[in-house]
Amino acid sequence: MAKRRDVSEPPAHRRRPTRRHVRGAHRFRRGRRWYAYLPGEGRFALGTDDEATADRLFRARLAAHVERKARLAAEKTLDVIAEQYSLAPHGWTRRSRKSTKLRAAAFVEAMATQGITLPSQLTTTALDAWRAARAKKRAAATINRDEDVVRKMLRWAAEQTPPLCAPMPVAKRPRMREIERQGRQLIPSPAEVARLVAALVPLHHGLGLAVTVAVATGLRLDELRHLSLSAADLHEGVVRVQPERGAADGAWTSKGHRERRIPVGRSVMDLVADFVRWRDEHRWKLADSHTGRLLAAAAKTAGVEISGMHDLRRTFVTEAVRAGVPLTQVQDWVGHRDIRTTQRYLGRYRSDASVVAPAPAALAILAARPADVISLTANVR
């Protein structure tokens, strides 16, 4: 008796061959073309009919895929990168280290609100949205500083061993927004600084000495706080600004971590010594808020317009260039990395703002009638 066939199964000639499911990376052929599959990337065409070429392309794509996965596995989050970047030795001053840490933390917090916690998730669209939001509350100069901190932080993270993140195109982009200054900046002249010092001495003798030293040497306020008696070298006739040797990480250092030598006369050296002794004797910290209030009060009394102690550096640069010192030499004295920064420090004295210079004789041709310049009656051969 013939065996009865199970009706629940289709006949053998109607059964479809079972398809083998391959879960890992592999290549396969459909028709005459070769394709491949990678977890996380899906299926893609290899663009060839030759099996040997398809195998070579697949192996190259697979190696790049494995390398990318290894980088992502070792990638640190933005908050970890920001913390390690702020703690690494960069030759910063205490103030610049604090400012950099705050800017990096603000960027990390802003990215977290968009759901971005890894550098690989950063896009130019996310950065543009962050910059647009910052532009509503901050000045253009501050936005440039924020962007510089982000780009430098990402470049630093990619250059570490082992890298904290992969090299990113957004870290190599130039500044998104450049500061355009309208005209030449007006700054106090030496005569106005003398009036300012005369009004300062009754209010605060130490600040009067600090203003005089700043305009004679071009030192920053932070450098005045840490100026020592050994900085005035009588033998060489210079005031030296140098970073702390062997200081622990986080200690004060000169901006840019470079040594500068500013040539001065004997009277300026005596003034530096008087200032340092007065500052140490009275334990004066030269706090920004206290210094700013005293400077504003003295400027109002003397009838001088000054935005802060940094204007005195601009006066120093402008006066040095007026005296014929090459701009590159002044750049070394004030400690600028880029000579364009020194050029922006050049200003006009307010006392010269209303002076109208006579037109050069060579420009008189522009005001003359064409008939007076070229004889229209001359015979042309």
Side-chain angles (χ1 to χ4, degrees):
M1 184 175 178
K3 186 178 180 180
R4 191 173 181 179
R5 182 177 62 86
D6 188 1
V7 295
S8 62
E9 294 183 5
H13 66 280
R14 294 183 181 180
R15 294 177 190 168
R16 294 182 179 179
T18 58
R19 179 176 296 176
R20 185 176 59 179
H21 295 279
V22 182
R23 297 183 180 276
H26 63 280
R27 60 183 177 87
F28 57 94
R29 190 170 188 170
R30 285 186 177 176
R32 299 178 58 184
R33 309 292 287 179
W34 282 94
Y35 298 83
Y37 170 81
L38 291 177
E41 296 188 22
R43 298 182 179 89
F44 54 90
L46 293 175
T48 181
D49 298 342
D50 183 56
E51 184 176 2
T53 305
D55 185 67
R56 178 174 52 82
L57 295 174
F58 171 68
R59 290 180 181 277
R61 185 74 174 263
L62 179 61
H65 176 75
V66 172
E67 182 183 359
R68 183 164 53 253
K69 287 187 65 176
R71 281 203 310 262
L72 292 177
E75 187 179 33
K76 302 295 183 181
T77 57
L78 287 173
D79 56 344
V80 173
I81 292 176
E83 182 180 2
Q84 294 186 12
Y85 178 68
S86 62
L87 295 177
H90 297 282
W92 290 328
T93 63
R94 288 180 180 177
R95 186 173 181 181
S96 61
R97 183 181 297 277
K98 180 180 179 181
S99 173
T100 300
K101 187 175 182 179
L102 292 175
R103 294 179 193 277
F107 170 76
V108 171
E109 183 179 354
M111 292 298 102
T113 59
Q114 302 184 37
I116 298 175
T117 57
L118 294 172
S120 57
Q121 298 173 339
L122 279 175
T123 60
T124 55
T125 303
L127 289 177
D128 290 343
W130 164 70
R131 188 173 62 255
R134 297 281 285 179
K136 296 179 180 179
K137 301 179 181 180
R138 315 284 282 189
T142 305
I143 297 172
N144 269 335
R145 296 190 187 105
D146 292 341
E147 292 175 354
D148 287 342
V149 167
V150 174
R151 283 192 291 273
K152 291 177 181 178
M153 180 179 69
L154 295 176
R155 285 198 298 265
W156 173 85
E159 293 169 357
Q160 297 308 297
T161 306
L164 303 180
C165 69
M168 304 186 60
V170 294
K172 299 180 181 179
R173 293 207 309 181
R175 282 190 170 192
M176 316 285 184
R177 177 188 303 213
E178 290 293 338
I179 306 172
E180 296 182 1
R181 300 186 183 275
Q182 302 296 329
R184 185 64 67 188
Q185 190 174 11
L186 293 179
I187 58 176
S189 64
E192 291 175 321
V193 174
R195 296 207 314 266
L196 180 66
V197 172
L200 265 175
V201 171
L203 292 176
H204 197 283
H205 183 74
L207 186 55
L209 292 173
V211 167
T212 311
V213 172
V215 79
T217 59
L219 296 180
R220 302 177 178 91
L221 181 61
D222 192 53
E223 292 167 345
L224 291 174
R225 293 189 185 106
H226 301 88
L227 194 63
S228 61
L229 287 175
S230 60
D233 193 329
L234 295 175
H235 178 69
E236 295 187 19
V238 297
V239 171
R240 293 180 299 178
V241 180
Q242 56 186 5
E244 294 292 338
R245 303 294 182 182
D249 187 41
W252 180 87
T253 180
S254 60
K255 190 171 184 180
H257 208 78
R258 298 190 307 277
E259 181 177 350
R260 309 201 314 267
R261 295 172 177 266
I262 307 165
V264 296
R266 180 59 183 267
S267 60
V268 176
M269 291 188 182
D270 295 339
L271 188 65
V272 169
D274 292 342
F275 163 72
V276 173
R277 292 192 188 99
W278 196 97
R279 182 201 65 195
D280 295 343
E281 180 182 351
H282 293 78
R283 298 181 180 180
W284 185 35
K285 301 299 183 181
L286 281 85
D288 290 350
S289 57
H290 182 236
T291 302
R293 287 195 299 269
L294 290 173
L295 198 62
K300 185 176 181 180
T301 303
V304 176
E305 295 183 28
I306 183 172
S307 59
M309 288 287 290
H310 218 67
D311 272 359
L312 304 173
R313 276 172 61 81
R314 299 184 174 93
T315 302
F316 170 81
V317 171
T318 304
E319 195 64 18
V321 172
R322 280 193 171 197
V325 181
L327 192 63
T328 52
Q329 183 64 62
V330 180
Q331 175 191 0
D332 294 337
W333 290 349
V334 294
H336 289 155
R337 292 184 181 274
D338 193 344
I339 196 170
R340 291 175 295 182
T341 306
T342 313
Q343 290 174 341
R344 288 199 294 265
Y345 272 53
L346 293 173
R348 284 192 308 167
Y349 296 148
R350 290 182 175 85
S351 56
D352 300 340
S354 59
V355 176
V356 179
L363 297 182
I365 189 174
L366 299 178
R369 294 184 299 110
D372 298 335
V373 179
I374 302 175
S375 177
L376 300 180
T377 59
N379 296 326
V380 180
R381 296 183 180 182

